[in-house]
Amino acid sequence: MALPMPAGATPFGLALSPDKRYLAVADNSTRAVVLADYHCAKYGCLTDLGGPYNYGPLSLTFLPDSRRLVIIIPGQVLLLVWDVVANALDRYVAVPNGLIPRAVCCDPRGGAVLVATDKALIAFTSEWEYVGVLKDIVNSEICSGAVSICPKTLRIAVSDMRRHQVHMIA
């Protein structure tokens, strides 16, 4: 099914919900998330993301329940968790030690939420308990990249857009 939707001038990230009902597009230029609902064949914008940010969303991922969307806003030391069904903020999640989140992804089996920050790759449980640092990042080697998880092996791939490399983390 094709559903035309405005994605803005600078779409920075895409997230498809695990149940394949929602497609979220992070639009940096309008500071919004465009959300398409393929069951209803309509779309809308999540424009009130809870604060006066200088930049729009950078990275996003759905949690396994397909209802909550984790959003990273550049320069903030927190994650926004948005309830797409209620179209409301579910919670803020503080990122410890002043780390600045750059990319986010979720274990597709419902486990950890992984966040690439300016200095480390960190993890939270699905209940938002901080697990800790999985890998220190020297000289901000992945601060401009995306994070992905292989569903079968749970190996983590992190892109470094400045060096045009992909790092595999066991």
Side-chain angles (χ1 to χ4, degrees):
M1 167 193 221
L3 177 64
M5 59 186 275
T10 53
F12 267 50
L14 298 170
L16 181 64
S17 63
D19 66 1
K20 298 181 180 37
R21 177 175 181 166
Y22 300 106
L23 175 68
V25 180
D27 180 20
N28 195 270
S29 64
T30 62
R31 300 181 193 157
V33 174
V34 177
L35 185 70
D37 181 339
Y38 284 95
H39 287 187
C40 300
K42 63 181 180 179
Y43 65 87
C45 289
L46 312 177
T47 54
D48 182 12
L49 296 177
Y53 307 112
N54 293 330
Y55 303 99
L58 178 66
S59 179
L60 36 82
T61 191
F62 275 94
L63 295 179
D65 64 7
S66 293
R67 180 182 179 119
R68 292 173 294 158
L69 180 67
V70 182
I71 304 168
I72 289 180
I73 307 290
Q76 301 299 312
V77 291
L78 52 85
L79 307 173
L80 294 154
V81 183
W82 197 267
D83 184 326
V84 298
V85 175
N87 194 17
L89 181 68
D90 180 72
R91 72 183 69 209
Y92 290 108
V93 177
V95 176
N97 305 323
L99 298 171
I100 299 173
R102 304 296 298 205
V104 63
C105 68
C106 186
D107 176 340
R109 299 182 302 182
V113 175
L114 301 176
V115 180
T117 72
D118 56 333
K119 297 181 181 142
L121 184 65
I122 63 173
F124 293 88
T125 67
S126 59
E127 299 301 317
W128 300 109
E129 293 176 32
Y130 179 61
V131 174
V133 173
L134 300 180
K135 178 183 183 212
D136 288 321
I137 299 168
V138 180
N139 298 323
S140 299
E141 65 183 335
I142 62 168
C143 72
S144 63
V147 182
S148 183
I149 302 172
C150 174
K152 290 186 178 181
T153 65
L154 291 184
R155 291 191 68 191
I156 303 163
V158 182
S159 68
D160 178 349
M161 296 183 339
R162 290 184 292 187
R163 293 192 181 109
H164 306 287
Q165 298 174 344
V166 174
H167 302 276
M168 293 300 293
I169 301 169

